[in-house]
Amino acid sequence: MSEASPRGTYLVISEALRQRIGKDETAEAVPSEAELMREHGVSRNTIRRALKVLEAEGVLESAPGIGWRVVRGGDRRSLEERMTDLIVEDSLSVGATYPSEAKLCERFGVSRTAVRRVLAQMEGNGLLATIHGKGRTVRALPTSGFRP
């Protein structure tokens, strides 16, 4: 990477990887972290942040001992889209209790960190409200054209 990105270098790298994966329908794995570091001229931490973005979106999954694998088939929506759509899919109304972090982790097969990041975004978008001691509730229903 020759110059700093105002958007966040790790986000630029994650987008480049997303496009690379999209172009090669047969790709099953991404290059190693070391190869990606050399290719983009950045630190391991930057590469890991980029990979975590794609993991949260359901594009990649960590395979211990192997590296990162491309997720093929199944639900290709981002985690934010799936968690937002859950409101409609589960017929939740305004004021209804939204599932707990633990249940969301289990349902979507992602880390608590990824779930918390999306919950914060949903709260920021006005879809959820946190009631201390009671959990999260639906504050507003997503509009039909709503896309995070």
Side-chain angles (χ1 to χ4, degrees):
M1 224 126 262
S2 57
E3 58 185 72
S5 166
R7 185 169 175 229
T9 303
Y10 74 99
L11 292 173
V12 172
I13 294 169
S14 69
E15 183 59 31
L17 286 170
R18 185 181 299 103
Q19 289 177 6
R20 179 190 291 183
I21 291 165
K23 287 179 185 174
D24 185 0
E25 292 294 323
T26 62
E28 292 185 16
V30 295
S32 70
E33 289 179 2
E35 289 174 46
L36 291 170
M37 288 167 50
R38 281 190 297 277
E39 180 180 328
H40 295 281
V42 296
S43 70
R44 184 175 303 276
N45 190 44
T46 301
I47 293 300
R48 286 184 175 164
R49 286 184 74 187
L51 294 169
K52 287 291 186 183
V53 167
L54 296 175
E55 179 183 37
E57 293 174 0
V59 175
L60 295 177
E61 65 184 0
S62 177
I66 296 171
W68 291 87
R69 277 195 301 232
V70 177
V71 175
R72 296 286 181 199
D75 195 344
R76 295 295 306 228
R77 295 175 296 166
S78 71
L79 180 59
E80 187 171 0
E81 289 172 322
R82 290 184 286 161
M83 286 176 58
T84 299
D85 291 347
L86 179 146
I87 295 170
V88 175
E89 291 167 2
D90 288 4
S91 302
L92 299 177
S93 59
V94 173
T97 302
Y98 194 77
S100 68
E101 289 177 5
K103 287 184 180 178
L104 292 167
C105 291
E106 183 179 327
R107 180 172 181 163
F108 297 115
V110 297
S111 70
R112 190 169 289 245
T113 302
V115 165
R116 284 181 177 164
R117 186 179 310 127
V118 173
L119 288 170
Q121 290 171 339
M122 292 175 72
E123 287 179 12
N125 291 335
L127 293 174
L128 298 178
T130 299
I131 300 173
H132 295 286
K134 298 209 181 239
R136 289 179 180 84
T137 60
V138 176
R139 185 174 179 192
L141 298 177
T143 58
S144 59
F146 178 81
R147 274 295 142 232

